Amino acid sequence: MSTLPMPLHTTGLVCFCAGFIQCNIGHGLQIHKVMAGLLDHQTFAHNQAALQMVIGMAAYFGKRVDDTLQVNGTDHWHDMLNNEFGGMSEVLHNLYGVTKDKAHLRLAGLFVKPSFYEPLVALQDPLPGLHANTHLAQVNGYAAQYEATGAKDALTAVEHFFYVITHHHSYATGGSNDGEFWGPADQVADAISEQQDALETEETCTQYNMLKLARYLFSWTGNVTYADYYERAIMNGLLGTQRMPAFDHSENKSLDKQHQHTAAGHGTGPETLLQLESSTGNGVSVSRRRLQGTGNLSGGADATLSPFDAYSANWRQAAFAQFRGLRAGQLQEEPENAPGPGVVLYLLPMGAGQSKGQSSHGWGTPLHSFWCCYGSSVESFAKLQDSIYFYRLYQNKQPGGPVADLYINQLVSSSLTWPEQGLTVNQTATFNGPNNTAFTKIAFTAGTGTGMIVVQLRIPSWVAEGASQVRLNGQTWRECHQHQSADSSLGSSVGTALSAGSYCSIKGVFKTGDVITAKLPMIIRAETVQDKRPQFQSLKAVMAGPMLMAGLTDDSRKITANASDLASQVSEASTEGLVSLRLQGSPNTYLQQLGTQIVAGPLQQGNAAAMAATFRMLDISASEARPVTQMSDGQQLVLESMHRPGQVIMQDSQGQLRLQPMQHLQIDDLRSHGLTMQLSLSNAANADEALVSLQMMHVNVAQNQVRITNSTLGDDWVVEGFKGKYPEGSKALHGQDSSYIISPLGNIVDEKYTAYFDFQMPL
């Protein structure tokens, strides 16, 4: 680009109309991204050519802005600021921080929109009716302005905006907006209660910008509130917005006629001087696995394609093959937005019974869906290590005292090298410990010249008060200091030792082999929607620690349960007794549920289809129904839905087989009206197979689907390992009249879900 003649080298990656600034500044989105990328080249790689290019761009566009002001005046320019112009203010203030050129500061100030900025400085709420991402990018500009100039009004605008949006306009995910716009304060339920609105919620660009804003605020204040928010926002509103490939079902174990069932394992000042070596695990970097396809490329040969050839018809297969270390021919030909690289979301639905792909935009495609959210997603998933660790150097070091604080803000399995202090930190973390507990283990490796530091370990606001445990080398650490808060509204200090929403201070000269461990029990709770109207007070999100636990439902959100005592109504999502049933003699005909109907047909790709083909075998031979853990001849069984706990296959009044609640049924009802199965271990053709004969069903093949009707005639079905898999971290929520499987929203891919439940108090 730098070799192109002016003005091409300043705009070579930007398309815009001939009049540009005079006619439309919407392309400021692209200009900002190019300028920010070039400035990052200078900041992180000390690339002076990149710096000169961004300086040239600023001069070029500065002249165009001045021409517009001269021809059309200030009022016209302010009208144009109602368009979306990205982070122009932010990148120009950052450029001024490097060059100290007043021209850059002046140009940055011209992209500050008075009608939005001034109400925030006056502590008002200007959000209702505004386009969300247009203005979020501007708030990041105010943050950059404060960092570059120390302007107190800019700090006030940023802090007040963050308070207003998180307390009056947000979902439990930490995200906001409906149809890309903010609604009235404290009326968020309007975006959730009507399904046509709830499909268009939470633009992912806005979550990206909110994470940047929380990072700014934490770096200025050290306030744990912003670290808590960052965790909530990234786990619920970002990590689950890429379409992960299908998992390999082969890890699931079948019920066996000789041994107990084995459940499958389910895995499930700025600080930029800290160099992060890697970041994996805990949902941040998830192993991508998919079933191998049968089709070959290049006329039947296993082709080796360059994943960097974007014009190849099979570029995605080649890229994915390289990612997994496979040959390209081992992958299936699939739709462009099939799970894999480059498939992300524009909007994250917050309604009842939809999948993530059911918004107006759906899942994007790698080559034909370059919305603004694609640029944000590419950046977001390239910096998942961002904001795990911060540090602060002591300005007035005391002899023998600490030289720095190391803030460990996020529970993310990761490695950190800190060469200035001669330390390497390896963190291993999980949110899926027993009894709803998060764990982290922090191991140190010390080099030469290591001084005393203070590890500031975040004790999240979501932990059970007084229940956290922090140990150093196996010994309980009893010297956690009070955490000083920069939030004046909270007083001079908040929290006590191991208090929720604070930092535990662990001081020492850390040596190789030193280990800090923390046990953090998560509160399971219900958070009421941010809406003050009485009719919406029953709409609540179920939270486990920082994670929104969405219900795996087709449409229902009602539950009769005490929302103030959820912990006693939540249990682990068990895989005990789960199987899939395949029609004997057919390689791919499985018993499945379609809504509440029971059908049989080919097993489709994706976990949603696999879960529909997975049932729990309940033994009704005794006085109560129990999951089958060991099969034997003569057992009488019924089938319970995998993801609709308490619903079994029953015969309805029209003689059709459907899922029906078994809550108030007696064992005799199940035996007389349920789809019962008689186990046969001796008649199986294969010694490793078990067969069941299904009573009350007759199989009729039509158009590749088998519909099941009432009959005493049955066909034999092979009992196989369960095909479906609960999303990592799933649990069961038990109500008086219904139960749900609830799963972390960030771990849901194509399953249908409900974000908010309608809680009714039990009688």
Side-chain angles (χ1 to χ4, degrees), residues 513-535:
D514 285 342
V515 174
I516 295 171
T517 57
K519 176 182 177 182
L520 305 169
M522 296 186 291
I523 299 174
I524 296 181
R525 65 202 184 280
E527 290 190 1
T528 304
V529 67
Q530 287 184 4
D531 199 304
K532 292 184 177 179
R533 293 171 292 181
Q535 66 268 35

Side-chain angles (χ1 to χ4, degrees), residues 433-551:
N435 302 316
N436 305 313
T437 300
F439 291 91
T440 189
K441 175 184 176 182
I442 302 155
F444 294 86
T445 302
T448 58
T450 300
M452 179 180 291
I453 67 167
V454 181
V455 172
Q456 303 284 6
L457 178 63
R458 182 175 66 98
I459 307 299
S461 60
W462 44 256
V463 301
E465 192 67 40
S468 302
Q469 295 179 11
V470 176
R471 297 176 183 271
L472 174 62
N473 297 330
Q475 300 298 312
T476 300
W477 185 258
R478 303 184 183 279
E479 300 177 22
C480 290
H481 306 292
Q482 279 195 330
H483 168 57
Q484 299 299 316
S485 171
D487 187 346
S488 59
S489 67
L490 300 177
S492 60
S493 64
V494 292
T496 56
L498 289 179
S499 176
S502 69
Y503 283 92
C504 177
S505 302
I506 308 160
K507 181 170 62 176
V509 179
F510 290 92
K511 306 179 299 299
T512 297
D514 285 342
V515 174
I516 295 171
T517 57
K519 176 182 177 182
L520 305 169
M522 296 186 291
I523 299 174
I524 296 181
R525 65 202 184 280
E527 290 190 1
T528 304
V529 67
Q530 287 184 4
D531 199 304
K532 292 184 177 179
R533 293 171 292 181
Q535 66 268 35
F536 295 114
Q537 293 304 293
S538 62
L539 274 181
K540 303 176 189 294
V542 176
M543 305 294 295
M547 299 174 291
L548 187 149
M549 303 294 287

